[in-house]
Amino acid sequence: MSMMDKIKSMLKGHESQTDKGIDKSGDMVDDKTQGKYKGQVDTAQDKMRDQFGGQGQDRPPQP
């Protein structure tokens, strides 16, 4: 079992908490960099949500 599989299994069923963590970490990076890399941070957040099952505040739920 790879490390990603272990992480995914740990986060399964906790999508709302995962999503909050992704948002909070992205906000922290934006604050530390004064928004200089906002586009890259947003892209990374979207990829993490796709990988770990979070929905995001501005994304509609997927069927």
Side-chain angles (χ1 to χ4, degrees):
M1 182 180 263
S2 72
M3 184 61 115
M4 282 301 261
D5 292 335
K6 289 180 182 180
I7 292 171
K8 286 180 184 179
S9 68
M10 287 176 19
L11 297 176
K12 191 170 189 109
H14 303 283
E15 286 83 9
S16 65
Q17 290 175 329
T18 302
D19 196 47
K20 287 179 188 177
I22 292 170
D23 284 337
K24 192 171 185 178
S25 62
D27 292 343
M28 184 190 70
V29 171
D30 282 337
D31 287 343
K32 294 285 184 180
T33 61
Q34 298 173 349
K36 186 175 181 180
Y37 303 104
K38 184 165 177 43
Q40 289 89 341
V41 171
D42 290 342
T43 301
Q45 285 175 309
D46 289 340
K47 288 184 181 194
M48 288 177 68
R49 283 188 188 101
D50 290 342
Q51 193 77 341
F52 298 117
Q55 293 298 321
Q57 295 174 351
D58 55 353
R59 294 175 58 186
Q62 296 177 358

